[in-house]
Amino acid sequence: MSTTIARRTGDHGGRRVTVSAEDGVPLAVHVFGAADAPATVVFAHGHCLRAESWSYLREQLLRQWGNHTRMVFYDHRGHGASGAAHPSTYTIDQLAHDLDSILRTLVPTGPVILVGHSMGAMVVLAYARLFPAAIGTRIVGIALLAGAANAITEVGLARLLNRRAVSSLQAAATRAPRALQASKQLTRRLVAPILREAEFGTRKVNPRVAALATAMLNDTPLLTMAGFLHSLITFDETATLHRLGAIPALVLAGTADILVPFAHSVALASQLAGSELVRLEGAGHSVMLERAEEVAQSLAGLVERAFAAPHTATGYAAAG
């Protein structure tokens, strides 16, 4: 029998919470805003990143919302300050169940808007399939940043991945992690310019932003990096998209994203009836770091649209 427990400690910028997933893995969470805020926005980060990847966007949103909107940021299992787990649990579906544990523990009532970046956007789509009753009731809006519903290996840098290569990497990571970790660090130095271009597109980026993204990528354990690859390359939630047509959606990406090219966002928006497609010229994959102010404006618009929707106004009038 699984349990979900929250443990809180003080923090000057919000409060830090630990939520236990269904299988006991501790998930590190950072909560901002009042507990009785009329809405909660939950942020799911991308592969090999952590909750800190939202830091620049969070600053922008705090200026706009203050304590009037609660924001929940968390590290996926195997990432950041969250606990490691058996590699067999490193799947998108498991991350969707982890998201459910966080919602049930920290946001048991009231309207919720889910925001996912890259792999986090995939988690949002998987959550919609696994917990369909929540869509349009608890979940009143979604934002998919640099996301895709399927076929990530058909275009962009991810086309270099294939099942055989991924399986070999996962096996090597399990059998000889130290040797591969050293190889990973060497590879990072060699391909750093490519990674910067992939993450940030064509514009010159603040060195602090680039350093933050690079540090997060380098700090990710090899087993985590390799463990999720199979789930990423086989991901397909196109059949789930119809479940989300009744709620407002934001689909946002950069035109210079070479990891998950903008065409994926066009395809997503075309299949989400309530979506707004935002195209950021010259932005790369780490769009929420690179163009935080513009992303914040779009998210604020999504929240306004979600609360203007009839089901939100009637179903959660007491929360406002």
Side-chain angles (χ1 to χ4, degrees):
M1 180 176 179
S2 61
T3 57
T4 308
I5 303 169
R7 183 175 65 255
R8 304 172 183 175
T9 57
D11 183 76
H12 293 296
R15 58 192 178 96
R16 297 192 181 277
V17 181
T18 300
V19 171
S20 179
E22 291 177 332
D23 58 358
V25 174
L27 304 172
V29 189
H30 207 177
V31 183
F32 291 78
D36 60 351
T40 301
V41 185
V42 180
F43 296 80
H45 66 76
H47 183 230
C48 292
L49 299 178
R50 56 178 181 263
E52 193 177 354
S53 64
W54 302 105
S55 58
Y56 292 93
L57 177 63
R58 184 180 66 226
E59 291 174 9
Q60 294 289 335
L61 292 173
L62 282 171
R63 292 191 189 103
Q64 292 189 44
W65 293 338
N67 287 328
H68 300 298
T69 300
R70 184 165 48 162
M71 294 187 288
V72 176
F73 305 87
Y74 69 99
D75 293 334
H76 294 305
R77 62 176 56 211
H79 293 77
S82 287
H86 193 276
S88 64
T89 71
Y90 287 170
T91 67
I92 305 298
D93 275 13
Q94 180 60 60
L95 296 186
H97 282 285
D98 291 349
L99 171 58
D100 181 62
S101 293
I102 288 170
L103 292 176
R104 285 188 290 106
T105 304
L106 299 178
V107 199
T109 60
V112 175
I113 292 173
L114 300 178
V115 181
H117 169 248
S118 192
M119 183 176 76
M122 296 177 176
V123 173
V124 171
L125 295 178
Y127 178 88
R129 170 174 51 82
L130 293 169
F131 303 95
I135 306 304
T137 53
R138 294 295 320 289
I139 309 303
V140 299
I142 62 165
L144 308 173
L145 313 183
N150 70 333
I152 67 165
T153 59
E154 292 186 5
V155 292
L157 282 183
R159 71 185 184 279
L160 301 176
L161 294 172
N162 60 67
R163 295 191 187 193
R164 179 176 296 179
V166 166
S167 296
S168 298
L169 178 60
Q170 289 174 328
T174 303
R175 295 169 186 163
R178 290 185 180 179
L180 271 183
Q181 187 66 36
S183 174
K184 175 188 169 187
Q185 292 169 355
L186 175 61
T187 302
R188 289 288 188 202
R189 289 196 294 270
L190 294 175
V191 303
I194 298 174
L195 285 173
R196 280 195 293 271
E197 181 181 348
E199 290 294 312
F200 300 115
T202 58
R203 292 189 178 187
K204 185 176 181 179
V205 176
N206 184 314
R208 287 199 310 130
V209 174
L212 174 61
T214 301
M216 286 186 288
L217 289 166
N218 284 334
D219 287 347
T220 304
L222 187 64
L223 280 173
T224 296
M225 184 193 75
F228 282 101
L229 289 178
H230 185 267
S231 190
L232 286 169
I233 67 173
T234 59
F235 181 80
D236 189 343
E237 290 288 354
T238 51
T240 302
L241 296 178
H242 75 279
R243 300 182 187 276
L244 297 161
I247 63 174
L250 168 67
V251 180
L252 181 150
T255 61
D257 187 341
I258 62 176
L259 288 177
V260 182
F262 187 74
H264 281 292
S265 290
V266 174
L268 274 173
S270 70
Q271 297 177 76
L272 293 172
S275 69
E276 175 192 9
L277 177 62
V278 175
R279 170 190 176 106
L280 294 185
E281 293 291 337
H285 191 61
S286 291
V287 64
M288 70 291 180
L289 280 167
E290 183 183 353
R291 307 282 279 275
E293 184 174 358
E294 292 160 275
V295 175
Q297 291 172 354
S298 294
L299 283 177
L302 172 65
V303 171
E304 291 177 5
R305 286 196 293 132
F307 271 83
H311 62 79
T312 308
T314 57
Y316 292 110

